[in-house]
């Protein structure tokens, strides 16, 4: 039993937390976590995977239906080659070590992002994880890997333009729903809450379209330090927010 005051308060009767239907997380600060401890950046990424495993479990325990985590951005290709290779291997290792547990926990995995530029074996792995968890009905874990929101919107635009060029879609019939159907997140609700760790206060090309009315909570902890107490503090902050969606009255969730 944790003695952290935030956790204790949240567990107290009457301290009901509002639970987002879709939580997005920009897992940032692995490198700084490592640097602060005189370790290699790659060690920060290893610790980051542990924090991810923990947050997946927390989402299950707190009844969050959809969790999207930003794990590699289309702009992260500008990093040193060996760091990129390490992150890619970490994805492979995560799948190898955690697939059975994810299946046991009824987690449905979906990987969003561009598949161009990924090795064929990695694409097979991604397809395999999605297929093996497709029938699960618990938490949907969406991993944004090789993901960039501008690329996603560009891809969607291209698809729509093709349909118009082929004569199967009239420009007059293009609605927000037409665009949403072409995004990698088709069929998912928009995120209610987006957390970014490490003290940075920016979106870095994450879910630009989908975040139109998301609440943002920025926390100072680096991602490997993000634990249950941090998670509960964020949910408490979210619980206090009024979401008006352009209207006058606050709406749930
Ligand atoms: C987040 O941590 C993980 C990825 C972007 C892959 P960083 O690697 O960005 O760590 P910092 O921001 O440099 O500390
Ligand atoms: C955002 O973090 C991407 C991921 C967490 C995967 P970055 O570390 O890449 O973002 P910037 O460069 O600080 O904006
Ligand atoms: Mg970073």
């Amino acid at each position: 039993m944790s003695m952290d005051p935030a956790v204790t308060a949240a567990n107290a009767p009457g301290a009901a937390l509002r639970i987002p239907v879709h939580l997005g997380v920009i897992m940032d600060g692995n490198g700084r976590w490592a640097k602060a401890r005189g370790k290699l950046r790659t060690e920060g990424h290893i610790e980051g995977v542990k924090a991810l495993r923990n947050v997946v479990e927390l989402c299950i325990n707190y009844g969050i239906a959809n969790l999207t985590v930003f794990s590699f951005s289309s702009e992260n290709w500008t990093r040193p080659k060996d760091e990129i290779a390490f992150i890619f291997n970490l994805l492979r290792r995560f799948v190898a070590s955690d697939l059975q547990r994810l299946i046991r926990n009824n987690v449905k995995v979906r990987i969003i992002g561009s598949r161009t530029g990924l090795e064929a074996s990695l694409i097979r792995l991604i397809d395999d994880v999605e297929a093996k968890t497709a029938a699960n009905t618990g938490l949907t874990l969406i991993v944004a890997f090789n993901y960039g929101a501008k690329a996603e919107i560009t891809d969607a635009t291209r698809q729509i333009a093709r349909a118009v060029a082929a004569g199967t879609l009239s420009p007059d019939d293009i609605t927000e729903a037409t665009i949403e159907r072409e995004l990698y997140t088709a069929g998912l609700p928009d995120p209610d809450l987006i957390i970014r760790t490490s003290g940075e206060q920016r979106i870095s090309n994450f879910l630009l379209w989908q975040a139109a009315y998301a609440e943002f909570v920025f926390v100072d902890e680096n991602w490997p330090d993000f634990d249950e107490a941090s998670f509960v503090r964020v949910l408490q902050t979210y619980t206090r927010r009024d979401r008006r969606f352009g209207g006058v009255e606050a709406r749930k969730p």
Side-chain angles (χ1 to χ4, degrees):
M1 179 71 196
S2 167
M3 294 309 288
D4 184 286
V7 173
T8 316
N11 289 342
L17 288 174
R18 179 161 49 153
I19 301 300
V21 174
H22 185 171
L23 169 66
V25 184
I26 302 174
M27 311 184 290
D28 198 13
N30 291 349
R32 279 164 283 165
W33 180 93
K35 193 172 179 217
R37 287 159 183 78
K39 297 174 190 277
L40 297 170
R41 290 180 57 85
T42 47
E43 294 182 68
H45 295 314
I46 293 177
E47 287 306 308
V49 172
K50 293 183 190 165
L52 170 61
R53 202 172 274 135
N54 189 37
V55 165
V56 167
E57 208 159 289
L58 289 170
C59 286
I60 295 170
N61 294 344
Y62 283 75
I64 292 173
N66 304 281
L67 167 67
T68 300
V69 294
F70 202 5
S71 70
F72 189 82
S73 83
S74 37
E75 288 68 36
N76 290 148
W77 286 104
T78 57
R79 295 189 178 203
K81 272 198 179 64
D82 54 348
E83 180 170 344
I84 296 172
F86 191 87
I87 294 170
F88 276 54
N89 276 328
L90 216 49
L91 176 70
R92 291 177 200 273
R93 275 158 56 188
F94 177 72
V95 171
S97 61
D98 285 57
L99 182 59
Q100 289 315 316
R101 187 204 320 247
L102 292 168
I103 293 172
R104 226 178 19 251
N105 287 336
N106 201 17
V107 176
K108 180 178 185 147
V109 181
R110 187 157 153 184
I111 315 252
I112 60 167
S114 169
R115 300 206 171 179
T116 21
L118 299 186
E119 277 178 26
S121 65
L122 193 60
I123 295 174
R124 270 199 305 277
L125 183 89
I126 287 171
D127 288 342
D128 190 50
V129 177
E130 289 187 335
K132 285 190 171 133
T133 62
N136 287 348
T137 55
L139 172 73
T140 300
L141 169 64
I142 303 113
V143 181
F145 189 83
N146 198 21
Y147 174 87
K150 286 190 173 185
E152 175 184 38
I153 294 167
T154 306
D155 282 351
T157 307
R158 187 178 304 109
Q159 286 303 111
I160 293 166
R162 279 198 183 118
V164 170
T168 55
L169 178 67
S170 156
D172 294 334
D173 292 335
I174 296 173
T175 63
E176 291 182 8
T178 316
I179 296 169
E180 276 161 7
R181 272 196 297 275
E182 297 301 336
L183 297 176
Y184 306 143
T185 51
L188 292 167
D190 284 344
D192 304 292
L193 167 64
I194 293 179
I195 304 172
R196 183 170 186 147
T197 58
S198 87
E200 305 297 355
Q201 304 198 357
R202 56 176 170 261
I203 194 164
S204 299
N205 207 11
F206 184 55
L207 302 180
L208 293 181
W209 171 284
Q210 300 87 339
Y213 269 103
E215 295 294 325
F216 283 84
V217 177
F218 299 102
V219 302
D220 286 334
E221 296 97 297
N222 286 319
W223 175 245
D225 288 328
F226 190 84
D227 60 8
E228 181 166 9
S230 326
F231 181 83
V232 170
R233 271 195 299 273
V234 169
L235 289 182
Q236 287 169 331
T237 302
Y238 173 69
T239 302
R240 287 192 298 270
R241 298 271 175 94
D242 268 349
R243 303 185 71 195
R244 286 184 289 273
F245 299 92
V248 178
E249 301 285 331
R251 275 202 264 148
K252 311 254 160 197

